[in-house]
Amino acid sequence: MEISAEREGGAVIARANGRVDSSNSREFHSNLEAVIHKDDPAVVLDFEDISYISSAGMRVILIAAKSLQSGGVKFVLCSMNESIREVFKISGFDKIIPIHGSQSEALAAVSA
């Protein structure tokens, strides 16, 4: 699973695509760690092109969130489809990691 990253307004915007499940969660974790750093002031993980995420993928997101947030890095998610957003809501992850409807909303939130 490839993750692309760009920097905009002091934030790293990371994007993955496809499915995140037990078959590729380790690769997702490694690639996510490769594009984000604890010295970045903010990280936006864009879900626009992610069609599915399993509990293994959500675990990777939680590990990244805790690591970044403990270092004072703002970490937010954005652009989830309705089914993924519902999974994050039911699991309570939306109370741990802010979720925004669009990338522009996410960037505004981490810039504030």
Side-chain angles (χ1 to χ4, degrees), residues 76-80 85 88-89 93-94 97-101:
V76 300
L77 309 175
C78 72
S79 306
M80 291 180 173
R85 190 172 187 128
F88 273 75
K89 184 178 178 183
F93 275 49
D94 63 335
I97 309 163
I99 300 172
H100 299 279

Side-chain angles (χ1 to χ4, degrees), residues 46-97:
D46 190 324
F47 272 72
E48 184 173 16
D49 297 324
I50 296 178
S51 60
Y52 173 82
I53 189 165
S54 72
S55 58
M58 292 180 69
R59 181 178 178 276
V60 171
I61 302 293
L62 184 61
I63 290 168
K66 288 187 174 197
S67 174
L68 291 168
Q69 291 170 347
S70 71
V73 178
K74 295 178 184 179
F75 181 65
V76 300
L77 309 175
C78 72
S79 306
M80 291 180 173
N81 68 40
E82 284 303 314
S83 60
I84 292 176
R85 190 172 187 128
E86 185 68 19
V87 169
F88 273 75
K89 184 178 178 183
I90 289 169
S91 66
F93 275 49
D94 63 335
K95 304 224 182 319
I96 301 167
I97 309 163

